[in-house]
Amino acid sequence: MNHKKVCYFRIPVGELETNTYLLHVSGSSSCLLVDPGAEAERIKQSLQQQGLTPVLILLTHCHIDHTGAVAELARIYAVPVAAHEKAAPLLQDPFNAEMAAAFGLELPPAADRLLCNDEVLTAADMSWKIWHTPGHSPGSICLLSGDLLVSGDTLFAGSVGRTDLPGGDFARLQASLDRIKTLPLHTRILPGHGEASTLEQEMRHNPFM
Ligand SMILES: [Zn+2]
Ligand SMILES: [Zn+2]
């Protein structure tokens, strides 16, 4: 059991202002690095400023705006990369290669660790439950620890992720949102773009909920 407080630090990166998150336990110098989407140098500086060293790079899904700095940071820190088993094969697929070229970003390496639904990931003194939440993409996941939900591009404050990209599926997104609705209302939502929210706020104001 882990009773230490889990903290997060948000770094919006790149043209699409993708949220990179540093997740850690208060007082610890180890963190999980979620969705380093671009601007490796800025992420590196934030890590230094926060006194944190990543032990694992974790991807909420495979889109290039969430993975553009993965290759560089995985090299710098020599850490493995984890993604859902359905996202992993897409990390280097032609659509992502095209998008990487369009944004001038480097394609991520293959995932070292494949995650599956309801798995509990233990790293950096924390336990995160992995929820497979397809819809925005086939291998989208949410990460759950205590009252924190890292929701990727599944759920945003006031909106949801688009489902018109390859592999997107609105019916599956709705089913994923239905699962999120089962969480306590005080759950804090840390989305892949934009400001944090709470489940209560989203139940009241998000038309997709
Ligand atoms: Zn996306
Ligand atoms: Zn995104």
Side-chain angles (χ1 to χ4, degrees):
M1 285 297 280
N2 186 354
H3 297 289
K4 290 183 195 158
K5 189 171 179 274
V6 175
C7 310
Y8 70 90
F9 185 80
R10 179 172 76 100
I11 314 161
V13 297
E15 286 178 47
L16 300 177
E17 303 202 323
T18 302
N19 286 330
T20 296
Y21 290 104
L22 313 180
L23 305 174
H24 64 100
V25 159
S26 57
S28 170
S29 61
S30 302
C31 71
L32 289 177
L33 174 54
V34 178
D35 288 358
E39 301 189 72
E41 189 55 36
R42 235 184 95 219
I43 294 171
K44 205 176 125 191
Q45 282 168 9
S46 292
L47 282 159
Q48 278 164 358
Q49 281 160 6
Q50 299 296 314
L52 294 169
T53 306
V55 296
L56 179 73
I57 294 174
L58 192 53
L59 305 177
T60 62
H61 62 299
C62 62
H63 290 152
I64 194 70
D65 61 312
H66 295 253
T67 62
V70 171
E72 191 173 342
L73 292 167
R75 274 196 301 271
I76 292 173
Y77 294 101
V79 287
V81 177
H84 187 265
E85 55 191 356
K86 287 209 168 89
L90 300 174
L91 287 171
Q92 293 166 312
D93 81 352
F95 174 73
N96 269 338
E98 231 173 79
M99 289 296 115
F103 284 98
L105 295 167
E106 193 180 352
L107 260 188
D112 303 290
R113 180 159 174 192
L114 302 185
L115 303 169
C116 50
N117 185 42
D118 286 337
E119 173 175 350
V120 176
L121 178 95
T122 307
D125 224 8
M126 297 174 289
S127 295
W128 288 86
K129 185 95 179 256
I130 307 298
W131 276 12
H132 181 214
T133 51
H136 171 67
S137 78
S140 286
I141 53 172
C142 291
L143 317 170
L144 181 65
S145 183
D147 68 346
L148 287 180
L149 182 79
V150 178
S151 62
D153 285 3
T154 299
L155 176 61
F156 302 130
S159 189
V160 294
R162 57 196 285 184
T163 53
D164 59 335
L165 296 173
D169 184 326
F170 189 68
R172 299 190 85 190
L173 180 74
Q174 282 178 310
S176 295
L177 296 175
D178 283 343
R179 186 170 187 197
I180 291 173
K181 287 179 199 168
T182 65
L183 289 168
L185 286 175
H186 67 266
T187 302
R188 290 182 288 165
I189 311 289
L190 306 181
H193 301 266
E195 300 293 325
S197 185
T198 63
L199 186 58
E200 184 169 19
Q201 281 286 336
E202 296 316 303
M203 297 290 265
R204 280 194 189 159
H205 302 298
N206 189 328
F208 298 94
M209 298 287 278

